[in-house]
RNA sequence: UGUCCGAUGGUGUAAUGGCAGCACAGGAGAUUUUGGUUCUCUUAGUCUAGGUUCGAAUCCUGGUCGGACAACCA
């Protein structure tokens, strides 16, 4: 497949079995080696359908599906829908779409915690029968007060030692709907002075008279997360239940509930990893919701949002996100990933696949004085220099062009090799031109028009085509250009850690006022046929992606990410 | 104040008692009809104090710093 010797050697050493494992892979390989759960690997991705998925979830998705793929296992999609007051069908569909778009499949294994309400209820009765659970009639406030604090033990509920019969009767009446919301709860009887507060007789069921998006009015009691999650894992045959670090403290409870019901050799195991944090980004669902609700962004899929749908609309590719997840690795220490690593993964993919086009975002008129008035030439241009199979297109060229305002200076600094009086540049895919003079607006002093001549032999394939010219600039033919709306996005926050708030401020104070700038651009005609099936690179500018707001004859493009720009960096450092 | 978890260049992540490596970011250069891409070189790291050991990022002890935990949320 590859007869380059050096390359195949490198490949081989890369695939050596000694390649290092992350801590999750180590645990899994150890479990497989020990024949745990019959050597099976079965993971799950368990979103709560109460919001949209973001890049942090993408890490979890890549981990869960990736690990299963690597060890020939399976991954279930399971909606953790145990709280009907917060959850909605709307989110279910969005979540499914996002996971599919990322490139993962749960086949037919789409489950809901609510599928297990009957089984969960049966097990709850068993716990009551075993004297391990009781109905508590106290108010939420009272229960909370009795729970003690982090440093002081709690005290036992006066209802803690009700008889099994009384508990069973009460629990059945809870289920039957005889009590209003909050009248009583079912609690596990564990230890009110446990140093881990979650073990101080945690609540298993509460009364909520609200219709559920799947079970409708069948239930008016709903299980809490801790009581539902491990049991759901057990029902589904999950082997490795991977979650984020904040659930670490829940693990003893996860294990306690399993202890009460597991009768088999098989048993799922919870393992925690550190969630993703990104510089200049917030990941909290609550805060993202606030951005949407209060109109700081235009919706969950606003291209500035770190949501999967936002990134998709912005022009991110699934490949770039998967590669990113691979690069950041996984561990148990808190981390903040530099957003430039995400952008690197994005450019890396886009560079390979993006269709090149010419567009002028900030136009300046250029006239080629020795080019005939009425002549149009069609110049062949490679669609993608990284991929010859992408083919070519022809770009119209004529006497009057638009060029980028940045590509001309009256008094250029050192190392500026674009256009200035007397200089020569190459027009990309076209001719070498020389600048002779320019015209300014007498009112404003702004440059209006640049006058050049072209070297007719300097076209690709021409006699002087290979002359060394330092600068190449992009252009569009004025009379053939089409207009498009361009949305220039920048980071949403001006502070690397927007959640690190000063006294009396909130993350809202750190919003970047320039996170969106809308302009009009002149584009080569081929962009009239732009489609969301393609990603585009406007040469020398950046990557762009067609927005659904586009109208017939008027495309709208989102700037996905700019090209790396070592010139602006260099000229800034000079200052 | 208690319990649990964690600590390796600026940011991530390897090294599983034996040469501290890789990626991003930063810097310098080469190539280039994109100041893009690609390529080369380069700056920079084991929280701290002790102990075990021929040998410690790794094992032990103390400290320091950071995180999690007191919803009828997940």
């Amino acid at each position: 497949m590859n007869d380059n010797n050096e390359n195949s050697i490198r490949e081989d050493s890369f695939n050596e079995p000694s390649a290092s494992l992350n801590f999750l892979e180590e645990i899994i390989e150890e479990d497989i080696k020990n024949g745990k759960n019959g050597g099976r690997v079965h993971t799950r991705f368990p979103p709560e359908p109460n919001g949209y998925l973001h890049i942090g979830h993408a890490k979890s998705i890549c981990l869960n599906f990736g690990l299963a793929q690597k060890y020939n296992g399976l991954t279930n999609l399971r909606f953790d829908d145990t709280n009907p007051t917060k959850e909605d069908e709307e989110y279910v569909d969005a979540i499914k779409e996002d996971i599919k778009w990322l490139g993962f499949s749960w086949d037919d294994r789409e489950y809901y915690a609510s599928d297990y309400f009957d089984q969960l209820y049966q097990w709850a009765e068993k716990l009551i029968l075993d004297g391990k659970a009781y109905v508590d009639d106290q108010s939420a406030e009272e229960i909370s007060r009795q729970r003690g604090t982090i440093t002081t033990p709690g005290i036992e509920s006066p209802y803690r030692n009700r008889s099994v019969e009384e508990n069973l009767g009460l629990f059945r009446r809870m289920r039957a709907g005889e009590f209003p919301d909050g009248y009583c709860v079912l609690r596990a009887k564990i230890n009110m002075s446990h140093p881990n507060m979650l073990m101080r007789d945690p609540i298993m069921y509460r009364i909520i008279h609200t219709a559920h998006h799947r079970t409708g009015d069948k239930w008016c009691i709903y299980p809490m997360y801790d009581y539902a999650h491990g049991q759901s894992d057990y029902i589904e045959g999950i082997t490795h239940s991977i979650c984020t670090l904040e659930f670490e403290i829940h693990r003893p409870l996860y294990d306690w509930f399993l202890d009460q019901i597991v009768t088999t050799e098989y048993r799922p195991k919870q393992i925690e990893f550190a969630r993703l944090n990104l510089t200049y980004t917030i990941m909290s669902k609550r805060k993202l919701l606030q951005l949407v609700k209060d109109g700081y962004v235009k919706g969950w899929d606003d291209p500035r949002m770190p949501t999967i749908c936002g990134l998709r609309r912005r022009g991110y590719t699934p490949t770039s996100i998967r590669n990113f997840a691979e690069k950041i690795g996984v561990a148990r220490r808190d981390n903040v990933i530099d957003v430039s690593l995400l952008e690197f993964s994005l450019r890396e993919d886009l560079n390979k696949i993006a269709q090149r086009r010419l567009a002028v975002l900030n136009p300046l008129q250029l006239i080629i004085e020795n080019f005939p008035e009425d002549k149009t030439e069609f110049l062949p241009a490679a669609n993608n220099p990284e991929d010859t199979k992408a083919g070519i297109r022809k770009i119209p060229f004529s006497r009057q062009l638009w060029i980028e305002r940045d590509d001309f200076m009256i008094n250029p600094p050192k190392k500026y090799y674009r256009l200035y009086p007397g200089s020569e540049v190459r027009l990309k895919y076209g001719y070498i031109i020389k600048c002779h003079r320019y015209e300014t607006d007498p009112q404003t002093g702004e440059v209006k028009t640049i006058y050049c001549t072209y070297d007719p032999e300097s076209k690709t394939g021409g006699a002087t085509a290979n002359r060394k010219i330092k600068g190449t600039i992009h252009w569009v033919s004025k009379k053939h250009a089409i207009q498009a709306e361009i949305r220039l996005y920048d980071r949403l926050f001006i502070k690397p850690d927007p959640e690190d708030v000063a006294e009396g401020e909130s993350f809202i104070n750190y919003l970047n006022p320039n996170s969106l700038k809308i302009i009009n651009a002149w584009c080569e005609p081929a962009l009239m046929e732009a489609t969301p099936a393609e990603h585009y690179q406007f040469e020398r500018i950046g990557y762009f992606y067609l927005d659904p707001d586009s109208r017939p004859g008027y495309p709208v493009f989102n700037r996905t990410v700019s090209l790396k720009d070592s010139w602006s960096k260099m000229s800034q450092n000079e200052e």
Side-chain angles (χ1 to χ4, degrees):
Chain A
M1 138 189 160
N2 187 344
D3 53 13
N4 181 320
N5 211 18
E6 246 177 57
N7 243 338
S8 41
I9 286 166
R10 216 184 310 143
E11 287 264 325
D12 285 347
S13 64
F14 191 73
N15 289 328
E16 270 173 19
S18 64
S20 69
L21 303 174
N22 65 47
F23 83 100
L24 294 170
E25 295 166 333
E26 273 178 21
I27 291 169
I28 290 173
E29 293 200 1
E30 187 67 19
D31 288 347
I32 292 172
K33 201 178 80 189
N34 294 332
K36 225 179 215 176
N37 301 325
R40 282 189 308 118
V41 173
H42 200 149
T43 59
R44 105 265 90 115
F45 177 66
E48 183 187 13
N50 71 340
Y52 287 80
L53 261 25
H54 55 61
I55 181 81
H57 294 111
K59 174 181 181 180
S60 175
I61 291 167
C62 291
L63 239 26
N64 276 296
F65 283 90
L67 251 10
Q69 268 165 23
K70 175 163 182 175
Y71 296 104
N72 297 310
L74 298 169
T75 305
N76 293 358
L77 171 59
R78 181 169 75 232
F79 290 97
D80 226 331
D81 56 352
T82 56
N83 187 349
T85 65
K86 295 197 170 173
E87 294 142 10
D88 199 280
E89 196 67 33
E90 165 200 359
Y91 298 113
V92 169
D93 298 330
I95 288 168
K96 281 157 64 175
E97 185 188 355
D98 288 347
I99 301 171
K100 275 188 233 161
W101 178 75
L102 279 172
F104 297 104
S105 170
W106 56 91
D107 301 320
D108 58 347
R109 294 179 310 283
E110 176 180 329
Y111 302 126
Y112 295 79
S114 54
D115 295 342
Y116 313 135
F117 282 173
D118 282 299
Q119 175 64 262
L120 256 13
Y121 179 84
Q122 292 308 318
W123 278 328
E125 285 207 350
K126 171 184 155 44
L127 258 69
I128 291 171
L129 259 8
D130 292 345
K132 299 276 183 63
Y134 63 96
V135 174
D136 195 334
D137 294 358
Q138 299 181 104
S139 68
E141 298 71 42
E142 195 59 32
I143 289 174
S144 165
R145 208 170 311 126
Q146 286 172 0
R147 191 153 5 238
T149 71
I150 284 168
T151 50
T152 59
I155 58 170
E156 295 185 353
S157 163
Y159 301 97
R160 196 172 198 259
N161 292 310
R162 291 217 253 224
S163 68
V164 166
E165 294 70 34
E166 190 181 3
N167 281 321
L168 200 55
L170 253 15
F171 186 48
R172 286 178 178 169
R173 289 174 63 195
M174 279 170 70
R175 180 193 187 176
E178 293 187 26
F179 308 120
D181 284 8
Y183 184 81
C184 55
V185 291
L186 183 72
R187 290 228 255 171
K189 195 192 242 183
I190 306 182
N191 177 358
M192 286 308 291
S193 51
H194 197 109
N196 181 342
M197 296 198 57
L198 286 169
M199 298 295 273
R200 321 239 261 230
D201 290 8
I203 290 165
M204 293 168 61
Y205 273 93
R206 73 288 214 199
I207 300 170
I208 304 175
H209 289 273
T210 297
H212 185 277
H213 73 108
R214 304 228 354 138
T215 59
D217 293 326
K218 180 176 176 190
W219 298 90
C220 62
I221 59 171
Y222 291 91
M224 298 285 288
Y225 166 84
D226 287 298
Y227 180 63
H229 200 88
Q231 273 69 350
S232 300
D233 285 342
Y234 184 63
I235 292 167
E236 293 180 16
I238 301 304
T239 56
H240 301 267
S241 185
I242 296 161
C243 62
T244 48
L245 238 29
E246 66 265 29
F247 290 96
E248 184 173 24
I249 198 161
H250 294 246
R251 185 165 12 114
L253 230 200
Y254 181 98
D255 287 327
W256 190 90
F257 280 126
L258 285 176
D259 287 342
Q260 311 312 314
I261 59 160
V262 169
T263 55
T264 51
E265 194 87 330
Y266 152 71
R267 174 194 256 262
K269 173 161 73 179
Q270 173 179 313
I271 311 165
E272 312 86 18
F273 68 93
R275 68 167 347 127
L276 168 70
N277 295 291
L278 264 186
T279 56
Y280 299 101
T281 309
I282 56 166
M283 223 67 96
S284 141
K285 263 190 202 175
R286 204 200 86 237
K287 289 176 180 156
L288 292 175
L289 177 66
Q290 188 183 340
L291 292 178
V292 173
K293 268 194 172 163
D294 296 347
Y296 295 108
V297 296
K298 294 195 177 85
W300 284 100
D301 68 343
D302 186 298
R304 291 166 291 185
M305 291 282 275
T307 48
I308 306 294
C309 52
L311 296 172
R312 178 167 59 228
R313 185 166 178 181
R314 172 94 167 231
Y316 273 74
T317 61
T319 304
S320 69
I321 294 174
R322 277 187 261 113
N323 289 346
F324 171 71
E326 185 66 33
K327 279 192 237 281
I328 60 177
V330 61
R332 280 175 63 84
R333 69 187 111 151
D334 293 330
N335 62 86
V336 185
I337 308 288
D338 197 325
V339 73
S340 64
L341 183 59
L342 179 62
E343 290 177 349
F344 171 83
S345 304
L346 178 63
R347 291 191 182 106
E348 186 185 39
D349 186 35
L350 256 16
N351 176 52
K352 280 185 261 182
I353 64 165
Q355 294 273 318
R356 312 294 134 127
R357 294 290 184 268
L358 300 185
V360 173
L361 270 51
N362 187 13
L364 172 60
Q365 180 174 242
L366 183 145
I367 294 175
I368 302 168
E369 294 180 287
N370 59 341
F371 196 88
E373 290 274 5
D374 50 0
K375 186 175 171 188
T376 296
E377 274 194 60
F378 288 87
L379 303 171
N383 285 325
N384 185 352
E386 306 291 322
D387 175 14
T388 48
K389 290 194 296 292
I392 61 155
R393 67 192 184 285
K394 300 219 166 154
I395 313 178
F397 180 86
S398 64
R399 178 182 162 93
Q400 291 186 47
L401 308 177
W402 293 118
I403 66 161
E404 211 68 61
R405 201 159 268 280
D406 285 350
D407 288 338
F408 175 81
M409 284 184 99
I410 300 169
N411 297 304
K414 282 195 178 59
K415 288 193 174 170
Y416 183 85
Y417 35 82
R418 304 179 191 175
L419 219 47
Y420 50 90
S423 81
E424 272 189 318
V425 297
R426 177 181 297 279
L427 294 172
K428 182 82 184 178
Y429 306 121
Y431 300 94
I432 294 169
I433 56 169
K434 182 166 189 173
C435 174
H436 296 288
R437 59 193 173 88
Y438 60 93
E439 225 170 62
T440 55
D441 186 309
Q443 310 291 319
T444 62
E446 190 183 56
V447 178
K448 295 287 283 184
T449 306
I450 307 173
Y451 294 91
C452 299
T453 53
Y454 83 115
D455 170 358
E457 298 304 313
S458 63
K459 191 164 66 163
T460 305
T464 54
N466 294 328
R467 272 173 61 203
K468 283 282 177 230
I469 297 290
K470 196 69 176 159
T472 299
I473 66 172
H474 61 278
W475 52 273
V476 294
S477 165
K478 199 173 168 183
K479 74 175 163 212
H480 302 93
I482 64 154
Q483 201 165 53
E485 177 175 313
I486 307 287
R487 297 177 180 174
L488 299 169
Y489 294 104
D490 201 350
R491 54 179 55 132
L492 231 200
F493 293 95
I494 52 176
K495 204 163 172 274
D497 179 8
E499 310 207 56
D500 172 31
V501 293
E503 188 75 23
E505 298 194 325
S506 90
F507 72 102
I508 297 293
N509 292 82
Y510 310 128
L511 281 165
N512 177 5
N514 303 313
S515 62
L516 170 59
K517 203 177 146 202
I518 298 179
I519 60 169
N520 276 294
W522 290 112
C523 305
E524 65 164 279
L527 278 169
M528 197 55 93
E529 273 80 55
T531 121
E534 293 282 2
H535 294 262
Y536 299 94
Q537 183 198 97
F538 295 176
E539 295 208 46
R540 302 210 307 137
I541 298 176
Y543 295 99
F544 292 81
Y545 188 62
L546 194 70
D547 191 88
D549 287 347
S550 299
R551 300 186 300 275
Y554 187 66
V556 176
F557 291 99
N558 296 318
R559 181 174 66 193
T560 309
V561 67
S562 63
L563 248 29
K564 277 211 312 198
D565 186 353
S566 52
W567 164 248
S568 75
K569 195 186 289 176
M570 182 168 74
S571 45
Q572 267 169 29
N573 290 346
E574 297 285 309
E575 283 164 17

